[in-house]
Amino acid sequence: SQTIHQWPATLVQPVGSPLSLECTVEGTSNPNLYWYRQAAGRGLQLLFYSVGIGQISSEVPQNLSASRPQDRQFILSSKKLLLSDSGFYLCAWSPGPLHEQYFGPGTRLTVT
Amino acid sequence: QKEVEQNSGPLSVPEGAIASLNCTYSDRGSQSFFWYRQYSGKSPELIMFIYSNGDKEDGRFTAQLNKASQYVSLLIRDSQPSDSATYLCAGYSSASKIIFGSGTRLSIRP
């Protein structure tokens, strides 16, 4: 069966510091991968998605970036965090386009 | 702007009753609809998906899709306190982008 991991689970970072969040998927190959952010009490905002290694599409222009160095690894990064970057970051995978998405446990980021 | 809309709630339902959650979408070309359950502080969990018009049943859950009227619904029979959560509706637009509703908060009262 497939499993999706995210780490860290929680993170408190000062404004202006860098960020690296990691997501890995087990038990499948060539998944579509997604990064979402959910602000407190709000809906899901799609940040990035990837259909293959090195292929990243950005949905929202901001100070975040994503990379997919391996088939089942997806990384979300920032060089300098803003207060507005606080939120619940979720990684998801799907078997292909138009298919259901499965979410990881999430990383709760607080920028202070 | 393609949208998926849900009533934010809270929707309060007595234990043992049927909870009915509704969702409408604006993109007539949308296909592949999903219902997720999200407990407070946790990530969304897929509970149902539906691709064709009509009903799809899985245990206590029934998803209904009406493409002519552009709505999707989720029925939860024999509601339990453990069903108290926020339910997210999502669908793929005609541009193959998934769009999530903002969620409906469901509360099952004993």
Side-chain angles (χ1 to χ4, degrees), chain A residues 73-88:
Chain A
Q73 184 185 30
F74 206 21
I75 297 172
L76 182 70
S77 303
S78 174
K79 292 181 179 178
K80 289 186 177 182
L81 284 168
L82 307 173
L83 284 175
S84 57
D85 291 324
S86 292
F88 192 33

Side-chain angles (χ1 to χ4, degrees), chain A residues 38 41 88 108, chain B residues 37-44 84-86 105:
Chain A
Q38 188 175 39
F88 192 33
R108 194 162 301 281
Chain B
R37 177 176 62 200
Q38 186 174 23
Y39 292 115
S40 180
K42 301 296 185 182
S43 63
S84 296
T86 297
R105 196 153 47 95

Side-chain angles (χ1 to χ4, degrees), chain A:
Chain A
S1 64
Q2 299 83 14
T3 310
I4 179 168
H5 303 278
Q6 284 186 250
W7 62 91
T10 60
L11 192 59
V12 179
Q13 292 284 95
V15 168
S17 63
L19 174 73
S20 181
L21 303 181
E22 189 165 344
C23 170
T24 59
V25 181
E26 296 178 354
T28 187
S29 59
N30 197 31
N32 284 7
L33 297 173
Y34 307 83
W35 278 112
Y36 291 88
R37 177 170 60 203
Q38 188 175 39
R42 305 290 295 276
L44 292 169
Q45 179 186 30
L46 178 63
L47 302 174
F48 300 95
Y49 69 93
S50 171
V51 298
I53 295 174
Q55 300 178 63
I56 309 293
S57 295
S58 173
E59 289 295 303
V60 183
Q62 54 203 332
N63 68 320
L64 299 173
S65 61
S67 63
R68 184 170 177 174
Q70 300 180 42
D71 181 44
R72 289 169 289 174
Q73 184 185 30
F74 206 21
I75 297 172
L76 182 70
S77 303
S78 174
K79 292 181 179 178
K80 289 186 177 182
L81 284 168
L82 307 173
L83 284 175
S84 57
D85 291 324
S86 292
F88 192 33
Y89 286 82
L90 292 157
C91 181
W93 77 274
S94 72
L98 305 182
H99 280 70
E100 67 279 10
Q101 295 186 13
Y102 299 94
F103 287 86
T107 295
R108 194 162 301 281
L109 171 67
T110 303
V111 182
T112 60

